[in-house]
Amino acid sequence: MRLIDQLAANRLYYHRPLATLPDILLIDIPPRFAGPGLALDRYYPVIFESLAEVHEFEVFLCEPRAALVPPALLDRRPSAMRADHIVVARYRPPDPHWPWLQLCCWPARYKAMVREAGAAFARGAYTVDAFVSADDIDAAELRLHTALGCQRARDIRWMSDTAGHA
């Protein structure tokens, strides 16, 4: 069996809103494997920092195997992205039936505040959240801004390809 035929049969690429950000592949996990721990209880994001990683991952999905495995090939690979500020980027869904994504890249000083940071950050640097609508992602950005407080607000770089958001 191959992941591309089963676990990752339904997937969509979200292209980076800016050249310095990664692309994201969002896998809609079949209901029998979905549940808590996945974005919106069903989506598994995969972060690509290069075209070579995209190709490597596609080969991984197409490999024949005896049993299904999590599509976690890149999850623990260290990120090449270095940020002095929190980078918050929204990814518009390429298809209106798919969710909006919010990717955050966290500088080392923020990651150091989290217990078990290795498990909390994809590729050691990122968090990805999914939202049903633009209104939901707007509200999440407001909550993030509020949670970080006025002192840290200057440490945030908001990135978006959506008019009216920066």
Side-chain angles (χ1 to χ4, degrees):
M1 73 182 64
R2 301 177 324 156
L3 295 180
I4 200 166
D5 297 325
Q6 307 242 347
L7 194 66
N10 195 14
R11 62 196 183 286
L12 187 65
Y13 280 93
Y14 287 66
H15 296 285
R16 59 190 77 198
L18 294 172
T20 55
L21 296 172
D23 292 320
I24 300 173
L25 172 68
L26 195 62
I27 301 172
D28 188 356
I29 301 294
R32 69 183 183 274
F33 301 112
L38 296 173
L40 297 176
D41 294 334
R42 65 186 270 197
Y43 295 105
Y44 190 94
V46 181
I47 299 167
F48 300 115
E49 293 182 339
S50 70
L51 188 56
E53 289 180 347
V54 172
H55 293 298
E56 180 184 2
F57 195 76
E58 287 295 328
V59 168
F60 172 77
L61 291 179
C62 292
E63 288 175 359
R65 54 188 88 240
L68 294 177
V69 297
L73 178 69
L74 302 175
D75 288 4
R76 299 291 163 233
R77 183 175 294 176
S79 171
M81 186 167 176
R82 300 290 174 256
D84 294 327
H85 303 281
I86 301 167
V87 176
V88 179
R90 71 169 49 196
Y91 288 65
R92 176 190 302 267
D95 178 300
H97 303 298
W98 285 70
W100 288 76
L101 300 179
Q102 179 189 67
L103 175 130
C104 296
C105 182
W106 298 91
R109 68 183 179 275
Y110 287 94
K111 292 184 293 188
M113 296 179 202
V114 177
R115 282 188 208 193
E116 299 181 33
F121 298 98
R123 303 196 64 166
Y126 300 104
T127 56
V128 178
D129 292 297
F131 302 92
V132 173
S133 69
D135 289 341
D136 291 345
I137 198 170
D138 287 344
E141 287 175 354
L142 181 59
R143 285 190 305 273
L144 178 61
H145 189 272
T146 302
L148 290 170
C150 297
Q151 292 298 325
R152 292 192 178 128
R154 66 178 174 269
D155 286 346
I156 304 171
R157 298 297 179 259
W158 303 94
M159 307 293 175
S160 175
D161 68 345
T162 306
H165 299 278

